[in-house]
């Protein structure tokens, strides 16, 4: 009798886990129960316990014991989201890898749709649409989702440069594992770990496919999430952008591409510096000066496509390292938004976090929309 080797899964779903006891089963069940009965061997789940301080490790052991096709990795110390994803990637055997965060979940029918598209197009990267879901259940379309519309077949970034402006996260992309190896891509420690990972995937891909349907539900406002946490660790973004520009300089030294990435960087940093939910006011001045330093460091010699409107004015102030002028503009912007509100009340103006009444163009809205890693 000859034992035949088990077929290689088409898809490995890597789930890093830390401090999400309340959400863990919802996440894992949304993947496992969505796998079609005739495709059970095509999907594996690799859950990584990043030394979670709650009962997540215990729950994962029980879950894997009960459900075939679920494997677990238990780390002895907390390493953070990026290295935890690497730990899962190191044991994943699927042809494709999808990094799903453990506080998010998939809508029904997603896994079958993803498998069908992978088989049909054999892409390097499959891009997916998502919805933002608030704790009260409210669902919102992301500001960049419209860029995924009307893309049949397989394309390259040169064909659809707008794809670079889709939210730069790992979880909205399914990636061919050998393609990642060829690009020498791994996740780095620190917050905003998606920046030097997600952008190079699109830059290096010869075959990009887009699945124009909601395949991911992105939880908003969870306590402990990066975008809801005031911390000095938001300064990690600067090192992550340095890594991105270093990678591009080595692998794809193109001035136009560098200009596009530069615009995205400044837009992203302006979102962070203007958001009271991420930076304590006493850190804002220092963060702004760091943005200005990165502006000087990475500014393309031939310039870059600076946006218009309010966003473009903020870009100019960053280029001049003019923090006091930026602070005045920010306060005026907040006050104008408050005064234009139909239910304005005598209370402090809301923070600049997402589209506001003064965002009078798509470029302004993109610059002011919160996005990026948790």
């Amino acid at each position: 009798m000859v034992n035949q080797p088990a077929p290689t899964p088409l898809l490995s779903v890597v789930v890093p886990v830390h401090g999400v006891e309340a959400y863990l089963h919802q996440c894992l069940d949304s993947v496992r129960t969505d796998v079609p009965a005739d495709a059970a061997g095509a999907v594996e789940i690799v859950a990584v316990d990043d030394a979670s301080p709650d009962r997540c490790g215990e729950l994962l052991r029980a879950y894997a014991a009960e459900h075939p096709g679920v494997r677990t990795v238990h780390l002895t110390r907390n390493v953070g989201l990026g290295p935890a994803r690497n730990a899962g990637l190191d044991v994943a055997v699927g042809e494709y890898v999808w990094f799903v965060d453990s506080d998010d979940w998939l809508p029904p029918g997603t896994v079958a749709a993803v498998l069908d598209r992978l088989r049909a197009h054999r892409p390097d990267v499959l891009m997916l649409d998502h919805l933002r879901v608030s704790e009260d259940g409210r669902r919102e379309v992301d500001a960049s989702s419209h860029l995924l519309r009307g893309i049949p077949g397989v394309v390259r970034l040169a064909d659809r440069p707008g794809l670079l402006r889709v939210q730069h996260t790992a979880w909205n992309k399914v990636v061919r594992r050998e393609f990642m190896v060829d690009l020498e891509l791994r996740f780095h420690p620190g917050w905003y770990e998606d920046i030097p990972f997600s952008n190079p995937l699109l830059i290096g891909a010869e075959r990009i496919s887009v699945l124009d349907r909601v395949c991911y539900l992105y939880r908003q406002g969870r306590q402990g999430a990066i975008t809801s946490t005031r911390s000095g660790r938001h300064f990690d973004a600067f090192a992550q952008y340095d890594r991105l520009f270093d990678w591009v300089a080595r692998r794809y030294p193109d001035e136009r591409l560098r200009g596009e990435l530069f615009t995205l960087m400044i837009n992203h940093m302006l979102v962070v510096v203007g958001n009271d939910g991420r930076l304590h006011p006493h850190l804002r001045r220092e963060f702004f000066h760091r943005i200005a330093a990165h502006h000087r460091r990475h500014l393309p010699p031939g310039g870059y496509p600076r946006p218009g409107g309010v966003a473009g004015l903020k870009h100019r102030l960053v280029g001049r390292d003019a923090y006091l002028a930026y602070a005045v503009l920010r306060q005026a912007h907040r006050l104008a938004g408050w005064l234009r509100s139909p239910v304005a009340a005598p209370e402090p103006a809301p923070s600049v976090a997402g589209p506001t009444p003064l965002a009078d163009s798509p470029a302004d809205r993109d610059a002011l929309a919160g996005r990026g890693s948790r």
Side-chain angles (χ1 to χ4, degrees), residues 338-362:
W338 174 66
L339 291 175
R340 291 187 183 191
S341 172
V343 291
E347 59 184 28
S351 64
V352 180
T356 71
L358 205 60
D360 55 8
S361 73

Side-chain angles (χ1 to χ4, degrees), residues 4-44:
Q4 296 294 328
T8 299
L10 179 61
L11 178 64
S12 294
V13 180
V14 174
V15 184
V17 176
H18 183 82
V20 291
E21 181 179 337
Y23 310 110
L24 183 57
H25 273 101
Q26 180 185 26
C27 174
L28 296 176
D29 286 346
S30 74
V31 179
R32 183 187 58 81
T33 63
D34 203 42
V35 178
D38 61 353
V43 180
E44 67 165 357

Side-chain angles (χ1 to χ4, degrees), residues 270 307-317 329 333 358-361 363-364 367-368:
L270 284 169
V310 174
L313 176 55
K314 291 182 179 181
H315 278 243
R316 287 193 291 273
L317 295 177
L329 174 65
H333 188 160
L358 205 60
D360 55 8
S361 73
D364 296 335
L368 296 172

Side-chain angles (χ1 to χ4, degrees), residues 83-101:
R85 286 172 173 165
N86 290 338
L89 179 60
D90 287 341
V91 302
V93 296
E95 184 179 350
Y96 287 87
V97 179
W98 187 4
F99 298 99
V100 172
D101 287 352

Side-chain angles (χ1 to χ4, degrees), residues 182-197:
D182 292 343
L183 291 185
E184 303 175 289
L185 290 180
R186 301 278 288 180
F187 290 98
H188 295 278
W191 286 9
Y192 298 97
E193 74 295 326
D194 289 339
I195 290 168
F197 178 84

Side-chain angles (χ1 to χ4, degrees), residues 47-48 137 157 162 167-168 200 210 220 225 232 250 259-261 271 273-274 286 309 313 338 350 352-353:
V48 181
L157 185 61
Q167 180 159 324
H168 50 244
V210 175
Q220 302 286 283
R250 286 188 294 108
E260 292 287 342
L261 292 172
V271 167
V273 75
E286 180 185 356
L313 176 55
W338 174 66
V352 180

Side-chain angles (χ1 to χ4, degrees), residues 311-330:
L313 176 55
K314 291 182 179 181
H315 278 243
R316 287 193 291 273
L317 295 177
V318 167
R320 297 170 186 169
D321 200 5
Y323 175 73
L324 291 180
Y326 163 79
V328 170
L329 174 65
R330 180 175 181 272

